[in-house]
Amino acid sequence: MAKGIIGEPFTFTVLFLGDDGEPFTPNPEPTIEVFYFDGEGAKQIIAAAGTAMSAVGGDDGRWAYTVTIPAELSPANQVYGVMVGTDPISGLDITVEQEVDPFDQ
């Protein structure tokens, strides 16, 4: 599990690998959804599902998206990133989830 500083940027990264273990470029390009659950248990969106990620230059198959961890969060919260890319050869969607524990600086 990753850690991120409350009120500061955090970068979600993903490396898409095919069945052969080799990196691939998803087609269409991968997307992300970033959210957390508030004290009432309601889902709060930071980046809506379908938000485009950016390719990491010089690193085939690696994509990134940076968000700022909301200042109203406490270390008791978690931020979730759900990244989706489609393998152009198999046509299968690859979903990668990452949890981030926010902490005070």
Side-chain angles (χ1 to χ4, degrees):
M1 192 169 316
K3 294 194 176 286
I5 300 170
I6 295 170
E8 297 291 327
F10 178 85
T11 301
F12 287 90
T13 60
V14 60
L15 175 62
F16 289 101
L17 299 174
D19 290 339
D20 59 2
E22 292 298 315
F24 68 85
T25 299
N27 186 12
E29 291 185 346
T31 61
I32 188 168
E33 177 183 21
V34 181
F35 59 93
Y36 66 95
F37 294 98
D38 65 18
E40 316 283 303
K43 184 177 181 179
Q44 301 297 316
I45 303 296
I46 299 172
T51 299
M53 298 184 75
S54 299
V56 175
D59 200 356
D60 291 341
R62 190 171 304 276
W63 296 77
Y65 184 78
T66 301
V67 297
T68 297
I69 296 177
E72 65 269 17
L73 293 185
S74 75
N77 295 107
Q78 285 186 316
V79 177
Y80 302 92
V82 179
M83 299 158 276
V84 179
T86 302
D87 183 333
I89 295 172
S90 70
L92 296 175
D93 284 341
I94 309 296
T95 302
V96 178
E97 299 177 7
Q98 183 178 12
E99 296 177 20
V100 179
D101 285 334
F103 68 95
D104 293 318
Q105 188 170 5

